[in-house]
Amino acid sequence: MTTMITKYTMTNYKSIEMSPIGVLLILFIVLKLTHTINWSWWWVLSPLWIPVAIVVAIAVLTALGILIVGAFKRW
């Protein structure tokens, strides 16, 4: 009986892993809701939008670089 319980718990156990961004987001939300910090919600939710903004900026700069290089090749 105990081996069956042990086998069941070992096969159905799933660990929960969070990224540092997720931990930071939860921390900021908890601090905001407990009135520990008096930040705007924009800054509280910044762990969500700052990485997206960085990726978009890199994509725009890459596209701009490709366009500039293409324009010089045609010259």
Side-chain angles (χ1 to χ4, degrees):
M1 177 77 173
T2 55
T3 56
M4 194 164 118
I5 293 172
T6 307
K7 188 176 182 182
Y8 176 77
T9 55
M10 289 178 67
T11 57
N12 291 334
Y13 178 75
K14 295 179 181 153
S15 65
I16 298 173
E17 296 180 15
M18 289 189 66
S19 67
I21 291 175
V23 172
L24 198 59
L25 177 65
I26 291 173
L27 176 69
F28 285 172
I29 290 172
V30 168
L31 290 175
K32 173 74 173 178
L33 293 176
T34 58
H35 303 290
T36 305
I37 57 175
N38 191 22
W39 297 353
S40 162
W41 278 104
W42 283 103
W43 289 113
V44 172
L45 298 176
S46 65
L48 289 178
W49 61 263
I50 287 178
V52 173
I54 290 171
V55 169
V56 168
I58 290 171
V60 167
L61 290 175
T62 303
L64 191 62
I66 290 170
L67 288 174
I68 290 172
V69 168
F72 276 114
K73 282 186 177 180
R74 280 188 232 139
W75 241 46

